[in-house]
Amino acid sequence: MSALFTPLKLRSLEIPNRVWMSPMCMYSAAPDGPETGAPTDFHLTHLASRAAGGAGLVMAEATGVRPDGRISPWDLGLWNDRQQEAFARITAAIRSHGAVPAIQLAHAGRKASVDKPWLSDRSLTESEGGWQPVSPSAEPYPGLSVPHELTGEEIQQLVRDFADSARRALAAGFQVVEVHGAHGYLINSFLSPVSNHRTDAYGGSFENRLRFPLQVVDAVREPRRHRHRLGRQGQRPHRQAGRPGTQPGRHQPPKRRRRHRLRPRPARQRHHQRPGHLPDPAELVTAAPLPSFFRAGLRTRVPPAGPTPPGATMAEAYGMVHDSDRGVCPVTSDLERV
Ligand SMILES: Cc1cc2nc3c(=O)[nH]c(=O)nc-3n(C[C@H](O)[C@H](O)[C@H](O)COP(=O)(O)O)c2cc1C
């Protein structure tokens, strides 16, 4: 049997196979009103149908951790109770088919507040439902609005926003959280000296540019740390066991110590068993963002061929059939090339 159809274990989570659905923005959420950013029947069908088809893991699209973090006004968000409740229905449906529900948490940074990509590639004005984007520096993405340069306090708030969304994701039944660190969005723009000209602790050296991404990852993993008492040592040598180049079991800590580490801490467990607070026994798994930074540059470019101009991004190569009457829906051959 192909390894594709064998289970994959990530810490305590077992994913039934390696066919996973990528996060894909659908630009189909309500842009305003009480249902802003909440998944609808459309998203339920879109995600649950892949689970019914047998995908082992189904990942919801880039989901804004706050309103100004959405790529467009039609993106999903996870910053309030209504959105959390609507996601819970979706995770239950995905799980009912035996798949693992996952979500990609995102902030679009200076690339936020744009139109649906198949309609135009420009920033939206406030009267069109747009907003001023934010970024490490007031350096616009080519062709888009000039972003507001984040203050130190606003950066700290963003770290908390990622953490709050992760807590909500866990409470809604998601078992995997991926932090979107690619595609020129906020985390990516802190990393790059092209978009980050800061002179404080978040800019300049590579270590400084990495500070915000790492703070976000730490904060997102925090709910999981509260649930299971795992080692807090920086090295965590037992994790190395079984990796290529290591001798299985060699770095295992003594058995007595491991049992102690894995036992839930009673006080904290009681805290999280309060009604409405992290009720799901699932363990949150977070994806490390660094590999995707490197992959992103390779993966977002579509080969220049046919009607697509050289250097076109994938955003120009997809769209919704029901928007084709606007006359700008991309041709099918572009979709096939993606
Ligand atoms: C319609 C569409 C929407 C996408 N939205 C997202 C997204 O929300 N987040 C993301 O990281 N990638 C997004 N992507 C990229 C895909 O997740 C995926 O990385 C890409 O299609 C390449 O996948 P492949 O390597 O399996 O072919 C999107 C792609 C498409 C076609």
Side-chain angles (χ1 to χ4, degrees), residues 22-27 60-62 71 104 178 180 183 185 299 314 318 338:
S22 285
M24 284 181 282
C25 287
M26 291 287 109
Y27 306 95
E61 67 192 64
I71 302 167
Q104 185 183 55
E178 178 175 88
H180 199 332
H183 301 175
Y185 298 133
R299 295 174 80 191
M314 273 195 302
Y318 55 79
V338 170

Side-chain angles (χ1 to χ4, degrees), residues 29-38 67 70 73 75 77 79-80 82-83:
D32 48 35
E35 296 297 316
T36 301
R70 293 168 299 164
D75 283 13
W79 64 81
N80 66 32
R82 175 65 200 117
Q83 295 156 347

Side-chain angles (χ1 to χ4, degrees), residues 20-24 46-47 57-61 94 100-104 174 176-178 287:
W20 297 2
M21 177 180 163
S22 285
M24 284 181 282
H46 169 62
L47 296 165
L57 177 145
V58 175
M59 188 169 294
E61 67 192 64
I94 293 172
V100 169
I103 187 168
Q104 185 183 55
F174 285 106
V176 171
V177 164
E178 178 175 88

Side-chain angles (χ1 to χ4, degrees), residues 256-336:
R256 195 159 49 83
R257 197 165 141 223
R258 274 187 85 212
R259 269 204 305 274
H260 173 67
R261 270 189 191 166
L262 294 170
R263 196 181 303 139
R265 181 186 293 176
R268 291 204 174 192
Q269 198 181 38
R270 270 201 304 279
H271 171 71
H272 290 299
Q273 281 171 349
R274 284 195 313 232
H277 195 92
L278 306 182
D280 197 293
E283 181 175 359
L284 187 70
V285 175
T286 44
L290 270 178
S292 62
F293 294 146
F294 299 118
R295 281 205 308 272
L298 300 173
R299 295 174 80 191
T300 54
R301 294 275 154 189
V302 173
T308 306
T313 62
M314 273 195 302
E316 287 160 291
Y318 55 79
M320 292 290 197
V321 172
H322 57 70
D323 276 318
S324 59
D325 57 347
R326 304 282 294 265
V328 285
C329 195
V331 294
T332 320
S333 59
D334 278 345
L335 269 174
E336 283 165 358

